[in-house]
Amino acid sequence: MRRLVAPVAVLSGALVLAGCGSGDTQADSQADSKAELSVSGAYMPQPVSDSMAAGFLTVTNKGGTKDQLTSVTSDVGEVTAHETVDASMQEAKDISVPAHGQLVFKSGGNHLMFEKLKRKPKQGEKVTVKLHFAESGTVTVEIPVKSATYSPKTGH
């Protein structure tokens, strides 16, 4: 009888640990399913126009679920997200940020369009922008104003 006690105890302990591991994996899976957004590479070339400007940045999603950029607001003026489709620019109602991916706003592609500027941002200043997402809520970004000819090393 004593010979059976040790193997049964080892088997019972293994089953308990396996149950714990299963729960942790499920919790990790659920945490991974949410969108995890961050913003990098933001800049605005100093506008040459008194009423319009453009903004560029990258939204990275490290989470396992996509999110949607639904609108953009700023105290400097009206802001809309634009995408380039078939070589023409058009306003986008919402733009996806893929799971484990990026939404890139770059010169010649998707970009933020600032219109009806209340003031003309100058090089060295920062423009505050609020990115509104369907799932992640609002992300506030301070966009530095660069020279009108600024071209980032990252290519966007």
Side-chain angles (χ1 to χ4, degrees), residues 103-122:
L103 169 58
V104 179
F105 290 96
K106 63 182 182 176
S107 183
N110 295 344
H111 60 279
L112 299 179
M113 179 63 71
F114 294 78
E115 299 177 278
K116 299 180 183 175
L117 294 175
K118 296 175 185 174
R119 63 177 176 80
K120 185 176 177 179
K122 300 202 181 322

Side-chain angles (χ1 to χ4, degrees), residues 48-129:
V48 293
S49 164
D50 288 337
S51 61
M52 295 177 67
F56 308 103
L57 52 85
T58 298
V59 180
T60 301
N61 182 358
K62 292 183 180 178
T65 301
K66 74 175 185 170
D67 206 340
Q68 298 281 343
L69 176 65
T70 57
S71 66
V72 184
T73 56
S74 177
D75 61 352
V76 77
E78 295 178 10
V79 188
T80 51
H82 283 78
E83 56 188 348
T84 303
V85 178
D86 298 327
S88 67
M89 180 179 71
Q90 64 185 28
E91 184 177 337
K93 295 297 177 202
D94 56 9
I95 302 177
S96 289
V97 184
H100 302 291
Q102 294 183 324
L103 169 58
V104 179
F105 290 96
K106 63 182 182 176
S107 183
N110 295 344
H111 60 279
L112 299 179
M113 179 63 71
F114 294 78
E115 299 177 278
K116 299 180 183 175
L117 294 175
K118 296 175 185 174
R119 63 177 176 80
K120 185 176 177 179
K122 300 202 181 322
Q123 184 176 342
E125 296 179 348
K126 290 186 179 179
V127 172
T128 302
V129 172

Side-chain angles (χ1 to χ4, degrees), residues 22-33:
S22 172
D24 290 343
T25 303
Q26 187 176 14
D28 291 344
S29 173
Q30 289 172 351
D32 186 44
S33 70

